[in-house]
Amino acid sequence: MERSIVRIPVYIAFGFAVFLVALVLTFPDQRLKEIATVQIEKQLDGKYDVAIQDLDLWWLSGVQLKNVRISERITDTSVVETTPEGPKDAKTAAPGGAPEKPPFVINIPRVAAGFSPLLSVVNFAPTVDFLVDLGGGDIKGNFVQSSKARALNIDINQIDLAKTPILEQYLGVPFRGDLGGEIELELHPRQPQVIGGDIRLKGRTLTVDKTELHTDKLGPMAFIDVPETDFGKLDAHMTITQEDDKSTSKMVFDEFRFYDGKDVRGEIWGHLNLGRSSAQSVAKLEMRFQFDNNYIRSNDLSSVLNMQWFRDGKNQDWFGFLLWGRLNSPRFKGAPAAAAGPTASAEADDKPADDAPAAKK
Protein backbone atom coordinates (compact mmCIF):
# COMPACT_ATOMS: atom_id res chain seq x y z
CA MET A 1 0.00 0.00 0.00
CA GLU A 2 3.02 2.32 0.35
CA ARG A 3 3.53 2.20 -3.40
CA SER A 4 1.38 4.57 -5.41
CA ILE A 5 0.98 2.01 -8.22
CA VAL A 6 -0.93 -0.20 -5.75
CA ARG A 7 -2.53 2.47 -3.54
CA ILE A 8 -4.20 4.51 -6.31
CA PRO A 9 -6.10 1.59 -7.92
CA VAL A 10 -7.24 0.39 -4.48
CA TYR A 11 -8.56 3.87 -3.61
CA ILE A 12 -10.35 4.09 -6.94
CA ALA A 13 -11.93 0.65 -6.49
CA PHE A 14 -12.98 1.48 -2.93
CA GLY A 15 -14.50 4.80 -4.00
CA PHE A 16 -16.38 3.14 -6.84
CA ALA A 17 -17.73 0.45 -4.48
CA VAL A 18 -18.94 3.11 -2.03
CA PHE A 19 -20.58 4.97 -4.90
CA LEU A 20 -22.43 1.84 -6.02
CA VAL A 21 -23.67 1.05 -2.51
CA ALA A 22 -24.83 4.64 -2.00
CA LEU A 23 -26.52 4.70 -5.39
CA VAL A 24 -28.45 1.50 -4.70
CA LEU A 25 -29.48 2.58 -1.18
CA THR A 26 -30.59 6.08 -2.20
CA PHE A 27 -31.99 5.34 -5.67
CA PRO A 28 -35.40 7.12 -5.84
CA ASP A 29 -37.18 4.30 -7.67
CA GLN A 30 -40.68 5.16 -6.45
CA ARG A 31 -40.41 8.81 -7.45
CA LEU A 32 -38.91 7.96 -10.85
CA LYS A 33 -41.67 5.37 -11.42
CA GLU A 34 -44.30 8.06 -10.85
CA ILE A 35 -42.52 10.45 -13.21
CA ALA A 36 -42.17 7.75 -15.89
CA THR A 37 -45.86 6.85 -15.61
CA VAL A 38 -46.96 10.46 -16.04
CA GLN A 39 -44.61 11.09 -18.96
CA ILE A 40 -45.64 7.94 -20.84
CA GLU A 41 -49.33 8.76 -20.40
CA LYS A 42 -48.63 12.27 -21.66
CA GLN A 43 -46.90 10.93 -24.78
CA LEU A 44 -49.97 8.74 -25.41
CA ASP A 45 -52.21 11.86 -25.39
CA GLY A 46 -53.93 10.79 -22.19
CA LYS A 47 -55.87 8.05 -23.99
CA TYR A 48 -54.22 5.21 -22.07
CA ASP A 49 -53.50 4.31 -18.45
CA VAL A 50 -49.97 3.17 -17.66
CA ALA A 51 -49.00 0.93 -14.74
CA ILE A 52 -45.37 0.06 -13.91
CA GLN A 53 -44.74 -2.75 -11.44
CA ASP A 54 -41.09 -1.98 -10.74
CA LEU A 55 -38.27 0.39 -11.72
CA ASP A 56 -34.58 -0.27 -11.25
CA LEU A 57 -31.11 0.72 -12.46
CA TRP A 58 -29.87 -0.50 -15.84
CA TRP A 59 -26.10 -0.52 -16.46
CA LEU A 60 -25.58 2.38 -14.00
CA SER A 61 -26.37 5.03 -16.64
CA GLY A 62 -30.00 4.08 -17.26
CA VAL A 63 -33.23 2.71 -15.81
CA GLN A 64 -35.41 -0.28 -16.59
CA LEU A 65 -39.17 -0.58 -16.21
CA LYS A 66 -40.55 -4.03 -15.41
CA ASN A 67 -44.02 -5.35 -16.25
CA VAL A 68 -45.40 -2.27 -17.97
CA ARG A 69 -49.16 -2.42 -18.61
CA ILE A 70 -50.77 0.02 -21.06
CA SER A 71 -54.58 -0.05 -21.15
CA GLU A 72 -57.09 1.99 -23.10
CA ARG A 73 -59.15 4.36 -20.98
CA ILE A 74 -62.88 3.73 -21.06
CA THR A 75 -65.58 6.10 -19.86
CA ASP A 76 -68.19 3.48 -18.96
CA THR A 77 -66.55 1.10 -16.48
CA SER A 78 -69.75 -0.93 -16.18
CA VAL A 79 -69.34 -2.25 -19.73
CA VAL A 80 -66.03 -4.06 -19.33
CA GLU A 81 -64.71 -5.52 -16.11
CA THR A 82 -60.93 -5.31 -15.77
CA THR A 83 -58.74 -7.67 -13.76
CA PRO A 84 -55.02 -7.61 -12.83
CA GLU A 85 -54.46 -9.94 -15.80
CA GLY A 86 -56.32 -7.60 -18.16
CA PRO A 87 -59.88 -7.00 -19.31
CA LYS A 88 -62.36 -9.84 -19.36
CA ASP A 89 -63.68 -10.79 -22.78
CA ALA A 90 -66.76 -8.59 -22.94
CA LYS A 91 -69.79 -9.71 -24.86
CA THR A 92 -71.90 -7.49 -22.62
CA ALA A 93 -74.92 -6.09 -24.35
CA ALA A 94 -74.49 -2.46 -25.38
CA PRO A 95 -77.23 -0.07 -26.54
CA GLY A 96 -79.00 -1.68 -29.48
CA GLY A 97 -78.06 -5.20 -28.36
CA ALA A 98 -74.55 -5.13 -29.91
CA PRO A 99 -71.66 -6.44 -27.78
CA GLU A 100 -69.06 -3.94 -26.65
CA LYS A 101 -65.48 -4.06 -27.82
CA PRO A 102 -63.08 -4.81 -24.94
CA PRO A 103 -60.48 -2.11 -24.26
CA PHE A 104 -57.05 -2.38 -25.87
CA VAL A 105 -54.39 -3.65 -23.44
CA ILE A 106 -50.74 -4.59 -23.91
CA ASN A 107 -48.23 -5.89 -21.39
CA ILE A 108 -44.47 -5.47 -21.83
CA PRO A 109 -42.20 -7.52 -19.53
CA ARG A 110 -39.31 -5.03 -19.57
CA VAL A 111 -38.29 -1.69 -21.09
CA ALA A 112 -34.82 -0.25 -20.46
CA ALA A 113 -32.95 2.83 -21.67
CA GLY A 114 -29.73 4.56 -20.71
CA PHE A 115 -27.03 6.97 -21.84
CA SER A 116 -24.19 5.35 -23.80
CA PRO A 117 -20.86 7.18 -23.25
CA LEU A 118 -18.92 5.05 -25.75
CA LEU A 119 -21.41 5.43 -28.62
CA SER A 120 -21.76 9.12 -27.85
CA VAL A 121 -18.02 9.52 -28.48
CA VAL A 122 -18.17 7.41 -31.65
CA ASN A 123 -21.19 9.30 -33.05
CA PHE A 124 -20.00 12.72 -31.85
CA ALA A 125 -23.52 13.19 -30.46
CA PRO A 126 -25.51 12.13 -27.39
CA THR A 127 -26.62 8.51 -27.81
CA VAL A 128 -29.14 6.46 -25.83
CA ASP A 129 -29.23 2.66 -25.80
CA PHE A 130 -32.57 0.91 -25.30
CA LEU A 131 -33.94 -2.60 -24.87
CA VAL A 132 -37.53 -3.87 -25.06
CA ASP A 133 -38.08 -7.41 -23.76
CA LEU A 134 -41.22 -8.89 -25.38
CA GLY A 135 -41.18 -12.24 -23.63
CA GLY A 136 -40.32 -14.35 -26.67
CA GLY A 137 -37.31 -12.21 -27.60
CA ASP A 138 -36.17 -8.63 -27.48
CA ILE A 139 -35.74 -5.50 -29.56
CA LYS A 140 -32.63 -3.46 -28.92
CA GLY A 141 -30.99 -0.45 -30.48
CA ASN A 142 -29.95 3.13 -29.99
CA PHE A 143 -31.10 6.67 -30.66
CA VAL A 144 -28.65 9.39 -31.75
CA GLN A 145 -29.54 13.04 -31.20
CA SER A 146 -27.57 15.81 -32.89
CA SER A 147 -28.29 19.31 -34.13
CA LYS A 148 -28.07 18.23 -37.78
CA ALA A 149 -29.90 14.91 -37.72
CA ARG A 150 -31.43 12.21 -35.56
CA ALA A 151 -31.04 8.49 -36.11
CA LEU A 152 -32.91 5.46 -34.77
CA ASN A 153 -31.34 2.01 -35.15
CA ILE A 154 -33.31 -1.11 -34.19
CA ASP A 155 -32.22 -4.74 -34.14
CA ILE A 156 -35.06 -7.27 -33.91
CA ASN A 157 -33.60 -10.47 -32.53
CA GLN A 158 -35.18 -13.76 -33.58
CA ILE A 159 -38.46 -13.37 -31.71
CA ASP A 160 -40.54 -16.44 -30.89
CA LEU A 161 -44.01 -15.10 -31.70
CA ALA A 162 -45.78 -17.84 -29.73
CA LYS A 163 -44.09 -16.52 -26.58
CA THR A 164 -44.74 -12.86 -27.43
CA PRO A 165 -48.25 -12.00 -26.21
CA ILE A 166 -47.95 -8.31 -27.16
CA LEU A 167 -48.45 -9.16 -30.85
CA GLU A 168 -51.71 -11.00 -30.15
CA GLN A 169 -52.83 -8.18 -27.86
CA TYR A 170 -52.19 -5.64 -30.62
CA LEU A 171 -53.52 -7.54 -33.66
CA GLY A 172 -56.17 -9.65 -31.96
CA VAL A 173 -54.94 -12.97 -33.41
CA PRO A 174 -52.31 -15.40 -32.04
CA PHE A 175 -49.17 -15.89 -34.16
CA ARG A 176 -46.51 -18.60 -34.19
CA GLY A 177 -43.13 -18.59 -35.87
CA ASP A 178 -39.92 -16.55 -35.75
CA LEU A 179 -39.42 -12.91 -36.75
CA GLY A 180 -36.20 -10.91 -37.07
CA GLY A 181 -34.88 -7.90 -38.86
CA GLU A 182 -33.12 -4.55 -38.84
CA ILE A 183 -34.54 -1.02 -39.01
CA GLU A 184 -32.47 2.11 -39.65
CA LEU A 185 -34.33 5.42 -39.69
CA GLU A 186 -33.09 8.96 -40.23
CA LEU A 187 -35.30 11.61 -38.61
CA HIS A 188 -35.62 15.32 -39.20
CA PRO A 189 -33.61 17.20 -36.54
CA ARG A 190 -36.56 19.37 -35.48
CA GLN A 191 -39.78 17.98 -36.94
CA PRO A 192 -41.56 14.61 -36.39
CA GLN A 193 -40.67 13.40 -39.87
CA VAL A 194 -38.79 10.36 -41.17
CA ILE A 195 -36.51 11.53 -43.99
CA GLY A 196 -34.66 8.32 -44.77
CA GLY A 197 -34.33 4.72 -43.81
CA ASP A 198 -34.00 1.05 -44.59
CA ILE A 199 -36.26 -1.69 -43.16
CA ARG A 200 -35.57 -5.42 -43.54
CA LEU A 201 -37.73 -8.15 -41.98
CA LYS A 202 -37.51 -11.93 -42.18
CA GLY A 203 -40.07 -14.38 -40.82
CA ARG A 204 -40.04 -18.17 -40.76
CA THR A 205 -42.78 -20.78 -40.19
CA LEU A 206 -45.35 -18.01 -39.69
CA THR A 207 -48.75 -19.35 -38.65
CA VAL A 208 -51.97 -17.84 -37.31
CA ASP A 209 -53.67 -20.08 -34.77
CA LYS A 210 -57.39 -20.71 -34.88
CA THR A 211 -59.22 -17.97 -32.99
CA GLU A 212 -62.25 -15.69 -32.88
CA LEU A 213 -61.49 -12.13 -34.01
CA HIS A 214 -63.46 -9.29 -32.44
CA THR A 215 -63.83 -6.24 -34.69
CA ASP A 216 -66.04 -3.20 -35.10
CA LYS A 217 -64.75 -2.44 -38.63
CA LEU A 218 -67.77 -4.18 -40.16
CA GLY A 219 -70.42 -2.15 -38.36
CA PRO A 220 -71.68 -3.37 -34.97
CA MET A 221 -69.29 -5.53 -33.00
CA ALA A 222 -68.65 -8.71 -35.01
CA PHE A 223 -67.08 -12.04 -34.05
CA ILE A 224 -65.23 -13.64 -36.97
CA ASP A 225 -63.87 -17.19 -36.89
CA VAL A 226 -60.26 -17.20 -38.08
CA PRO A 227 -58.99 -20.66 -39.15
CA GLU A 228 -55.45 -21.88 -38.54
CA THR A 229 -53.42 -20.48 -41.44
CA ASP A 230 -49.87 -21.26 -42.53
CA PHE A 231 -48.14 -18.29 -44.27
CA GLY A 232 -44.70 -19.88 -44.46
CA LYS A 233 -41.81 -17.43 -44.85
CA LEU A 234 -41.74 -13.63 -44.99
CA ASP A 235 -39.16 -11.50 -46.80
CA ALA A 236 -39.67 -7.75 -46.62
CA HIS A 237 -37.53 -4.78 -47.64
CA MET A 238 -38.74 -1.18 -47.57
CA THR A 239 -36.71 1.96 -48.25
CA ILE A 240 -37.54 5.53 -47.25
CA THR A 241 -36.33 8.56 -49.20
CA GLN A 242 -37.14 12.25 -49.05
CA GLU A 243 -39.05 13.83 -51.93
CA ASP A 244 -37.35 16.47 -54.08
CA ASP A 245 -39.16 19.33 -52.32
CA LYS A 246 -38.06 17.83 -48.94
CA SER A 247 -41.54 18.44 -47.51
CA THR A 248 -42.55 14.76 -47.52
CA SER A 249 -40.96 11.31 -47.59
CA LYS A 250 -41.86 8.13 -49.44
CA MET A 251 -41.67 4.53 -48.25
CA VAL A 252 -41.23 2.16 -51.20
CA PHE A 253 -42.07 -1.53 -50.83
CA ASP A 254 -39.12 -3.02 -52.71
CA GLU A 255 -40.11 -6.48 -51.50
CA PHE A 256 -42.87 -7.79 -49.28
CA ARG A 257 -43.84 -11.39 -49.86
CA PHE A 258 -44.76 -14.47 -47.89
CA TYR A 259 -44.20 -17.83 -49.54
CA ASP A 260 -43.68 -21.55 -48.98
CA GLY A 261 -46.81 -21.62 -46.83
CA LYS A 262 -49.19 -24.53 -47.33
CA ASP A 263 -52.30 -22.32 -47.02
CA VAL A 264 -51.67 -18.76 -48.29
CA ARG A 265 -49.10 -17.03 -50.52
CA GLY A 266 -48.98 -13.34 -51.32
CA GLU A 267 -47.04 -10.15 -51.95
CA ILE A 268 -47.44 -6.37 -51.63
CA TRP A 269 -45.83 -3.59 -53.67
CA GLY A 270 -46.21 0.15 -54.12
CA HIS A 271 -45.45 3.03 -51.76
CA LEU A 272 -46.63 5.19 -48.88
CA ASN A 273 -46.30 8.96 -48.82
CA LEU A 274 -45.47 9.45 -45.16
CA GLY A 275 -47.29 12.14 -43.21
CA ARG A 276 -46.63 13.44 -39.71
CA SER A 277 -48.74 10.56 -38.40
CA SER A 278 -49.83 7.20 -39.75
CA ALA A 279 -53.38 8.50 -40.26
CA GLN A 280 -52.08 11.32 -42.50
CA SER A 281 -49.97 9.00 -44.64
CA VAL A 282 -51.23 8.33 -48.18
CA ALA A 283 -51.08 4.81 -49.62
CA LYS A 284 -50.77 3.57 -53.18
CA LEU A 285 -50.39 -0.16 -52.65
CA GLU A 286 -51.17 -3.24 -54.73
CA MET A 287 -51.33 -6.77 -53.41
CA ARG A 288 -52.22 -10.29 -54.44
CA PHE A 289 -53.04 -13.51 -52.59
CA GLN A 290 -53.36 -17.18 -53.48
CA PHE A 291 -55.20 -19.74 -51.33
CA ASP A 292 -54.61 -23.48 -51.35
CA ASN A 293 -57.65 -25.48 -52.51
CA ASN A 294 -57.55 -27.79 -49.49
CA TYR A 295 -57.45 -24.74 -47.22
CA ILE A 296 -60.53 -23.28 -48.95
CA ARG A 297 -62.51 -26.54 -48.73
CA SER A 298 -61.59 -27.46 -45.15
CA ASN A 299 -62.51 -24.00 -43.84
CA ASP A 300 -65.56 -23.43 -46.11
CA LEU A 301 -64.24 -20.12 -47.50
CA SER A 302 -66.36 -20.18 -50.65
CA SER A 303 -68.74 -17.54 -49.24
CA VAL A 304 -65.82 -15.24 -48.44
CA LEU A 305 -64.27 -15.65 -51.88
CA ASN A 306 -67.66 -14.81 -53.44
CA MET A 307 -67.59 -11.32 -51.92
CA GLN A 308 -67.42 -8.55 -54.52
CA TRP A 309 -63.83 -7.58 -53.68
CA PHE A 310 -62.65 -11.12 -54.39
CA ARG A 311 -64.83 -11.60 -57.47
CA ASP A 312 -63.61 -8.32 -58.99
CA GLY A 313 -59.97 -9.11 -58.26
CA LYS A 314 -59.79 -12.73 -59.41
CA ASN A 315 -57.34 -13.63 -62.15
CA GLN A 316 -56.87 -17.37 -62.61
CA ASP A 317 -56.02 -18.68 -59.10
CA TRP A 318 -54.86 -15.34 -57.65
CA PHE A 319 -56.83 -12.47 -56.10
CA GLY A 320 -55.55 -8.91 -56.59
CA PHE A 321 -56.45 -5.70 -54.75
CA LEU A 322 -55.69 -1.97 -54.70
CA LEU A 323 -55.43 0.13 -51.55
CA TRP A 324 -55.10 3.90 -51.91
CA GLY A 325 -55.84 7.17 -50.15
CA ARG A 326 -55.23 8.39 -46.60
CA LEU A 327 -54.75 5.59 -44.11
CA ASN A 328 -57.41 6.99 -41.78
CA SER A 329 -60.01 6.50 -44.56
CA PRO A 330 -58.45 4.29 -47.27
CA ARG A 331 -60.20 3.06 -50.41
CA PHE A 332 -60.05 -0.58 -51.42
CA LYS A 333 -61.11 -2.58 -54.47
CA GLY A 334 -60.41 -5.77 -56.35
CA ALA A 335 -57.97 -5.51 -59.27
CA PRO A 336 -57.32 -8.44 -61.66
CA ALA A 337 -54.16 -6.78 -63.02
CA ALA A 338 -52.67 -6.81 -59.52
CA ALA A 339 -53.50 -10.53 -59.31
CA ALA A 340 -51.16 -11.08 -62.27
CA GLY A 341 -48.20 -9.68 -60.32
CA PRO A 342 -46.11 -6.49 -60.14
CA THR A 343 -44.90 -6.61 -63.76
CA ALA A 344 -48.35 -7.07 -65.29
CA SER A 345 -50.00 -4.49 -63.04
CA ALA A 346 -47.40 -1.89 -64.00
CA GLU A 347 -48.48 -2.25 -67.61
CA ALA A 348 -52.20 -2.07 -66.86
CA ASP A 349 -54.24 1.09 -66.64
CA ASP A 350 -56.58 0.21 -63.79
CA LYS A 351 -54.86 2.23 -61.05
CA PRO A 352 -56.79 5.19 -59.59
CA ALA A 353 -54.85 8.36 -60.45
CA ASP A 354 -56.22 10.39 -57.55
CA ASP A 355 -59.29 10.77 -55.41
CA ALA A 356 -60.40 13.54 -57.78
CA PRO A 357 -63.66 12.90 -59.71
CA ALA A 358 -63.28 11.53 -63.21
CA ALA A 359 -63.73 13.97 -66.09
CA LYS A 360 -67.07 13.90 -67.88
CA LYS A 361 -67.08 12.53 -71.39
Side-chain angles (χ1 to χ4, degrees), residues 2-259:
E2 295 180 355
R3 296 184 178 182
S4 59
I5 194 173
V6 176
R7 184 171 63 253
I8 293 176
V10 170
Y11 286 164
I12 293 175
F14 177 75
F16 185 67
V18 172
F19 168 75
L20 290 179
V21 172
L23 182 62
V24 172
L25 293 177
T26 62
F27 186 69
D29 55 341
Q30 188 62 35
R31 178 57 179 161
L32 289 178
K33 185 165 65 173
E34 295 173 357
I35 294 174
T37 300
V38 172
Q39 291 300 316
I40 295 174
E41 290 180 345
K42 183 179 178 180
Q43 292 298 318
L44 297 174
D45 296 328
K47 297 179 181 179
Y48 298 87
D49 291 317
V50 177
I52 301 172
Q53 186 180 79
D54 194 17
L55 183 147
D56 205 349
L57 284 171
W58 186 61
W59 294 108
L60 295 180
S61 62
V63 296
Q64 59 180 339
L65 313 178
K66 297 180 179 179
N67 295 326
V68 180
R69 182 174 184 269
I70 302 175
S71 58
E72 182 181 12
R73 289 181 178 174
I74 54 176
T75 55
D76 185 3
T77 55
S78 65
V79 173
V80 179
E81 180 184 355
T82 57
T83 68
E85 293 77 21
K88 290 185 177 179
D89 183 15
K91 295 186 181 180
T92 309
E100 280 289 339
K101 182 181 179 180
F104 173 73
V105 177
I106 61 172
N107 297 278
I108 306 174
R110 183 167 62 118
V111 180
F115 176 72
S116 174
L118 181 59
L119 287 179
S120 297
V121 173
V122 172
N123 295 322
F124 298 102
T127 303
V128 174
D129 284 330
F130 61 84
L131 171 71
V132 181
D133 183 1
L134 301 176
D138 58 62
I139 298 173
K140 62 182 179 180
N142 58 73
F143 176 76
V144 183
Q145 171 72 64
S146 71
S147 58
K148 295 182 178 180
R150 294 180 296 168
L152 178 63
N153 303 299
I154 302 173
D155 183 15
I156 305 174
N157 292 328
Q158 286 303 118
I159 297 176
D160 185 347
L161 300 181
K163 299 178 181 178
T164 308
I166 186 174
L167 191 63
E168 179 180 353
Q169 293 163 355
Y170 183 73
L171 297 177
V173 291
F175 275 88
R176 288 186 282 116
D178 298 324
L179 180 67
E182 297 178 349
I183 301 175
E184 298 177 356
L185 300 178
E186 184 181 355
L187 311 176
H188 192 281
R190 294 174 299 277
Q191 301 175 4
Q193 178 185 354
V194 180
I195 60 176
D198 189 88
I199 303 172
R200 295 180 184 271
L201 301 174
K202 282 190 175 294
R204 296 294 178 265
T205 62
L206 299 178
T207 304
V208 172
D209 282 336
K210 184 177 180 180
T211 187
E212 185 180 60
L213 178 63
H214 304 174
T215 178
D216 56 358
K217 303 300 183 182
L218 303 176
M221 190 66 179
F223 296 86
I224 303 173
D225 291 326
V226 178
E228 180 177 341
T229 307
D230 181 6
F231 289 90
K233 301 176 181 179
L234 167 70
D235 285 343
H237 180 210
M238 289 80 74
T239 55
I240 302 173
T241 56
Q242 205 170 21
E243 297 285 57
D244 293 337
D245 60 3
K246 298 189 181 298
S247 61
T248 59
S249 300
K250 177 187 290 188
M251 175 189 287
V252 178
F253 284 64
D254 299 311
E255 180 183 28
F256 196 106
R257 64 189 184 105
F258 42 94
Y259 57 100

